[in-house]
């Protein structure tokens, strides 16, 4: 089987977090927004907390699991991160991409952070004050996918290249 041209929504379960503004509390469950998605991964500095009730309500439709990808949809578009911890947080205004077994999450992360993808999304983003891409847009976003074995080979090459750059 060769490479296929498809969309994110046809291959991945693409959701997003709440758009409501839950009441913040002093202690509770972290609410991850695009501000918490950093190139180095999830950053919980300056995180806001929500109640258990709001946490459960948000997670009814957008529960995050280890291995999922989070992607900033508003303001700074991009900064995809793979969730590497067992999540105990909810998300707001952040895309959630669930990776099926026959796909490589790291391949998708590299694709979503590529110059071509970010440039295309920024050019097509809506909004004047604050740029954003909607859920429908993300679900319809094109992607060309190689077979899983080729995805893994590409990821290994990119991992090595970035490790070499880091070393240099």
């Amino acid at each position: 089987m060769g490479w296929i041209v498809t969309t994110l929504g046809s291959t991945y379960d693409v959701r997003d977090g709440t758009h409501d503004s839950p009441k913040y509390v002093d202690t509770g469950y972290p609410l991850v927004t695009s501000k918490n998605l950093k190139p180095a991964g999830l950053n919980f500095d300056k995180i806001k907390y929500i109640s258990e009730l709001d946490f459960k309500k948000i997670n009814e439709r957008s529960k995050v699991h280890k291995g999922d990808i989070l992607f900033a949809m508003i303001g700074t578009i991009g900064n995809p991160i793979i969730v590497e911890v067992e999540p105990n947080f909810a998300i707001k205004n952040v895309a959630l991409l669930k990776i099926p077994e026959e796909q490589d999450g790291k391949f998708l992360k590299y694709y979503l952070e590529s110059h071509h993808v970010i440039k295309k999304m920024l050019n097509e983003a809506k909004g004047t004050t604050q740029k954003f891409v909607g859920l429908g847009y993300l679900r319809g976003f094109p992607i060309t996918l190689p077979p899983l074995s080729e995805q893994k080979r590409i990821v290994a090459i990119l991992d090595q290249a970035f490790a070499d750059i880091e070393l240099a």
Side-chain angles (χ1 to χ4, degrees):
M1 191 165 110
W3 292 59
I4 60 165
V5 178
T6 186
T7 62
L8 292 177
S10 295
T11 306
Y12 307 96
D13 179 357
V14 183
R15 309 176 191 181
D16 63 355
T18 185
H19 295 280
D20 296 337
S21 293
K23 185 173 181 280
Y24 295 120
V25 295
D26 291 335
T27 58
Y29 292 87
L31 184 64
V32 169
T33 68
S34 58
K35 293 180 180 93
N36 304 107
L37 307 184
K38 304 292 182 191
L42 266 178
N43 182 312
F44 288 94
D45 293 349
K46 299 179 187 167
I47 194 103
K48 295 193 171 165
Y49 296 93
I50 57 174
S51 70
E52 183 174 4
L53 185 67
D54 284 334
F55 171 78
K56 286 180 176 175
K57 184 180 170 199
I58 293 167
N59 282 339
E60 280 175 16
R61 80 172 223 178
S62 55
K63 177 143 180 60
V64 180
H65 295 94
K66 191 173 180 178
D68 291 346
I69 291 183
L70 301 179
F71 184 86
M73 304 168 65
I74 297 174
T76 301
I77 295 170
N79 284 339
I81 63 119
I82 297 174
V83 177
E84 295 177 351
V85 297
E86 206 49 60
N88 199 23
F89 56 82
I91 56 174
K92 176 181 176 173
N93 296 334
V94 171
L96 169 64
L97 294 99
K98 301 222 166 256
I99 313 300
E101 283 182 26
E102 64 276 7
Q103 299 297 324
D104 186 304
K106 214 159 181 196
F107 177 85
L108 179 60
K109 178 185 182 293
Y110 278 132
Y111 175 76
L112 290 173
E113 65 191 5
S114 69
H115 176 74
H116 159 78
V117 167
I118 296 301
K119 184 177 175 190
K120 180 174 173 55
M121 285 190 184
L122 288 174
N123 285 339
E124 296 173 354
K126 306 278 186 229
T128 49
T129 313
Q130 194 171 41
K131 294 287 189 188
F132 71 93
V133 293
L135 198 53
Y137 174 84
L138 287 176
R139 286 178 174 153
F141 196 82
I143 184 170
T144 303
L145 286 171
L148 182 58
S149 59
E150 185 70 3
Q151 289 180 36
K152 290 185 180 301
R153 192 180 75 75
I154 291 167
V155 165
I157 291 167
L158 291 172
D159 282 349
Q160 186 59 57
F162 286 117
D164 291 347
I165 290 167
E166 190 73 30
L167 197 61

